[in-house]
Amino acid sequence: MAKQYYLVSQLPSVENLDSRQLPITEQYYRDLCGRFLDDKSKKIVQSLSLEPPKSDKMTGSAFLDKWNDRERCLRFALAQVRALKMKKEAEMLPPGCTADIIQAARTAVGMDSPLAAEEFLNEYRMETLNSLAPLDNFSVDAVIAYGLKLMLAQRMKKFDVETGKASYHKIYDEILEESK
């Protein structure tokens, strides 16, 4: 347990990083965890992903299982709302999909800007992580929650208006070229 205290004390805050650089990289986080966590916990941290398995799969962490369930439900809800918007068939929502998840999906799909929708979803995911996070800041689950927050922050740093516009125009031009 003493090693976990030392580990957590070395992790800088990843809250409110709108315009600043991330304080650490995902690789540094994983390396640090590899030095201070037991083998079972290291394995969980090494397998962390923002994309949960499509079906229920136990990870060995009750916190991570809850997070995966919520994220899986959000992804299914997004797919269903998008499919209904296009008048297509959609898969059934998994059990455990709550009204707030479905509302978040509807809100995101209804936004005019894909960037605004992604920012909204990222904020929703951060709030979800904060609500699920354990009270003991020095637990393995807290270290896992930190890793997920870091990955979310890293993902959002990749979104850029100019890069998005350039990509859009490139794809649009390719479509126009193909139709000629």
Side-chain angles (χ1 to χ4, degrees):
M1 188 67 150
K3 287 183 174 185
Q4 281 176 225
Y5 288 111
Y6 190 70
L7 166 63
V8 171
S9 69
Q10 292 184 63
L11 298 174
S13 176
V14 290
E15 306 289 330
N16 304 319
L17 294 172
D18 295 334
S19 61
R20 297 182 310 210
Q21 288 280 75
L22 290 175
I24 64 173
T25 64
E26 186 180 331
Q27 186 58 48
Y28 180 78
Y29 159 78
R30 290 179 194 269
D31 290 345
L32 199 59
C33 289
R35 284 187 268 156
F36 295 103
L37 294 177
D38 60 75
D39 289 339
K40 177 186 170 198
S41 301
K42 277 190 255 188
K43 186 176 178 184
I44 294 169
V45 166
Q46 293 304 321
S47 68
L48 275 182
S49 172
L50 291 177
E51 188 174 329
K54 196 168 181 177
S55 60
D56 286 337
K57 180 182 173 190
M58 299 308 229
T59 62
S61 162
F63 163 77
L64 187 55
D65 291 341
K66 281 187 227 170
W67 161 256
N68 282 343
D69 286 342
R70 301 273 307 197
E71 180 64 16
R72 186 179 309 103
C73 284
L74 177 61
R75 288 171 183 256
F76 272 98
L78 285 165
Q80 187 178 64
V81 171
R82 288 174 181 146
L84 291 173
K85 189 175 180 181
M86 296 178 354
K87 296 177 177 47
K88 293 190 176 190
E89 285 290 315
E91 288 188 46
M92 293 293 297
L93 294 177
C97 268
T98 58
D100 69 303
I101 293 172
I102 296 167
Q103 186 57 47
R106 287 180 182 153
T107 301
V109 171
M111 292 183 163
D112 292 333
S113 163
L115 180 59
E118 285 298 329
E119 288 171 344
F120 168 79
L121 288 170
N122 189 61
E123 190 174 309
Y124 177 80
R125 286 174 170 124
M126 282 290 195
E127 289 172 9
T128 300
L129 275 171
N130 287 332
S131 73
L132 294 174
L135 295 176
D136 180 3
N137 291 329
F138 296 97
S139 68
V140 172
D141 286 341
V143 173
I144 293 168
Y146 180 93
L148 291 168
K149 288 178 185 180
L150 179 65
M151 287 191 263
L152 277 172
Q154 184 176 335
R155 180 177 181 272
M156 283 311 294
K157 293 288 181 191
K158 292 179 181 177
F159 290 104
D160 177 62
V161 174
E162 294 305 316
T163 306
K165 282 183 182 177
S167 178
Y168 168 78
H169 289 296
K170 179 183 174 206
I171 293 168
Y172 188 76
D173 291 342
E174 288 174 3
I175 291 170
L176 289 178
E177 287 296 319
E178 288 177 7
S179 67
K180 288 184 181 178

